Amino acid sequence: MTVMPKGFRFAAIEANLKYSGRKDLSMLVSDTPASAAGVFTTNKFQAAPVLHCKAMLERSRKQSAFLVNAGSANACTGEEGMNNCREVLSLVAEATGVPADEILPASTGVIGLQFNMDKWRAAMPALAENLGKATPENVSEAIMTTDTRPKLVSTSVDLSGGEVRLLGMCKGAGMISPNMATLLAFVCCDADVDPQRWQEILEYCADNSFNRITIDGDTSTNDSFMGLANGVSGVKAESEEDLRTLCDVLLRLSQELAYMIVEDAEGGTKVARIEVRGARDEIDAELVARAIGCSPLVKTALFGCDANWGRIMCAAGYSGAEFDPQAVSLEVGGICIFKDGMPVPGDMDKLLEPVMNEVDIPITVTLGSGSGTASLLASDLTKEYVEINADYRS
């Protein structure tokens, strides 16, 4: 059962912006201006909504709504794309009564397409009429592109002043190797939180959830993770203990959503849980984890249920991390198959066969060079992934 934060309304409609026969335009609206936070893609080609949101959050940390469209990313669209983004917000404000400068926009879909503004104008009456009638489930479906299922998590937690509720949703199945957050993710919370502390919490949760996943090694032009905390519960999160509790709960929610993304990878059948230990530092640990998780050869071996552990060692070796190869060990599914620079004797194919046939496959590399650690969730690479992306614009 979905836990609903107080003071939020939702809208999700079929606007026919690109897709036919499905919802592709949605809003998440707070009844009162909320503490707003966001982290965004580091891709140099940042989409118009990303640039707009960053500018708005620099100007004011009080915002009221998210507006999300699927089908067109409004990225690499130049000044026309920026003008269209601003015009869309004006249209939505006029239709719904939510001030244009309190709406944070997000877009997902094909890069390089300009908005069809006639379709946007035509959709406004339906969007306004639907506001408050849609469910979070409707919105989580409307933000999908190649996702096979919506991704929605909600929970509640008791702070010293009472109960607060959090709801999070995201979309993403391909073009996922974020360096900030995931493709699109949104959190609604009814706690009363200082905007700066809310931003710090969101950044921490992004670093330890969405920034710890990869599907195909591509960092999107549109990656955005944003949150609104409106205080409608009447419960303040201001003590250090309350803030830590709120952060812990949001982290668990974010990690659950991040797992859903990797589990739903385009054509994906496996989730590799990569752990790197004993690195010189955390930077080296992450280099090794990402080299393994992004390796096409490791990913295709996972898809084929092939215990070809040499590909894992190869990726670690070219990662750029500094370590002594003779001190390295490797475990797959808890089974040690490589130790002190040498394979462990035994029929590893037979031992690992049941492990490789599971959906979740733990991979642990210990470098023996220090105390640095890193974790990463990675998908496999399948024939269906190639087919989906070969036909993406069709």
Side-chain angles (χ1 to χ4, degrees):
M1 181 177 177
T2 301
V3 177
M4 288 287 293
K6 294 181 178 180
F8 285 93
R9 294 173 292 151
F10 304 88
I13 65 167
E14 294 181 18
N16 195 31
L17 299 177
K18 180 178 185 290
Y19 299 107
S20 298
R22 55 150 289 188
K23 295 177 175 65
D24 58 1
L25 179 61
S26 57
M27 285 190 78
L28 303 85
V29 179
S30 171
D31 291 335
T32 184
S35 294
V39 286
F40 303 93
T41 182
T42 57
N43 192 308
K44 293 292 186 183
F45 287 101
Q46 295 183 351
V50 169
L51 295 172
H52 191 86
C53 284
K54 290 170 68 175
M56 292 177 73
L57 289 171
E58 285 181 8
R59 185 171 66 248
S60 173
R61 285 286 173 179
K62 287 291 185 179
Q63 302 290 330
S64 296
F66 301 128
L67 175 74
V68 193
N69 75 277
S72 172
N74 197 9
C76 298
T77 49
E79 191 58 32
E80 182 180 351
M82 290 298 301
N83 289 336
N84 285 341
C85 182
R86 288 188 284 265
E87 183 178 350
V88 160
L89 297 179
S90 295
L91 291 170
V92 172
E94 183 178 355
T96 65
V98 181
D101 60 358
E102 293 180 14
I103 304 172
L104 297 169
S107 301
T108 180
V110 177
I111 293 171
L113 292 181
Q114 297 289 355
F115 282 167
N116 183 325
M117 295 307 297
D118 288 338
K119 290 186 176 181
W120 277 93
R121 295 184 190 98
M124 290 302 102
L127 183 69
E129 197 274 334
N130 187 251
L131 184 58
K133 298 179 180 178
T135 66
E137 288 80 3
N138 297 147
V139 176
S140 64
E141 292 169 359
I143 67 177
M144 298 192 306
T145 51
T146 58
D147 309 64
T148 66
R149 51 191 177 272
K151 303 167 180 69
L152 179 73
V153 179
S154 63
T155 189
S156 63
V157 62
D158 288 326
L159 303 183
S160 59
E163 183 184 43
V164 300
R165 288 145 289 271
L166 299 93
L167 181 147
M169 64 181 70
C170 66
K171 65 84 52 189
M175 198 179 281
I176 302 289
S177 189
N179 189 13
M180 48 60 59
T182 186
L183 194 59
L184 294 181
F186 308 97
V187 172
C188 300
C189 175
D190 59 17
D192 184 354
V193 191
D194 173 77
Q196 183 56 43
R197 298 305 298 268
W198 183 232
Q199 176 69 31
E200 292 169 2
I201 288 172
L202 203 79
E203 289 177 3
Y204 176 83
C205 291
D207 283 342
N208 291 280
S209 60
F210 297 122
N211 275 346
R212 298 292 180 220
I213 63 175
T214 186
I215 289 175
D216 46 24
D218 283 315
T219 297
S220 168
T221 55
N222 290 60
D223 287 346
S224 303
F225 177 30
M226 295 186 284
L228 295 175
N230 64 10
V232 174
S233 67
V235 178
K236 287 190 175 184
E238 54 184 352
S239 71
E240 290 303 317
E241 181 179 355
D242 279 347
L243 290 166
R244 280 195 299 270
T245 299
L246 184 64
C247 182
D248 288 345
V249 172
L250 181 55
L251 177 59
R252 289 196 295 271
L253 182 149
S254 302
Q255 289 174 335
E256 189 171 346
L257 289 172
Y259 177 86
M260 289 179 180
I261 289 172
V262 181
E263 187 182 34
D264 192 34
E266 291 171 344
T269 65
K270 307 287 185 184
V271 178
R273 294 182 175 271
I274 302 167
E275 294 282 344
V276 178
R277 303 169 181 169
R280 184 177 57 172
D281 51 33
E282 290 188 0
I283 294 173
D284 270 6
E286 185 166 352
L287 284 173
V288 173
R290 290 193 177 275
I292 295 168
C294 292
S295 164
L297 290 177
V298 172
K299 294 163 88 66
T300 49
L302 292 171
F303 171 59
C305 300
D306 180 9
N308 192 346
W309 57 265
R311 293 179 175 182
I312 299 172
M313 291 293 89
C314 178
Y318 66 62
S319 66
E322 292 292 333
F323 58 86
D324 178 3
Q326 303 306 313
V328 174
S329 65
L330 168 66
E331 294 181 6
V332 177
I335 300 170
C336 185
I337 57 177
F338 186 82
K339 185 173 178 62
D340 297 332
M342 294 182 62
V344 174
D347 187 346
M348 290 303 158
D349 285 340
K350 184 176 181 179
L351 279 172
L352 290 174
E353 183 177 356
V355 174
M356 302 305 296
N357 282 297
E358 294 291 330
V359 172
D360 281 22
I361 302 178
I363 297 172
T364 303
V365 177
T366 304
L367 299 177
S369 298
S371 59
T373 62
S375 61
L376 186 75
L377 297 179
S379 68
D380 56 352
L381 181 59
T382 69
K383 299 172 185 177
E384 188 179 352
Y385 177 89
V386 177
E387 292 169 355
I388 289 169
N389 284 282
D391 296 334
Y392 181 60
R393 294 200 305 156
S394 301

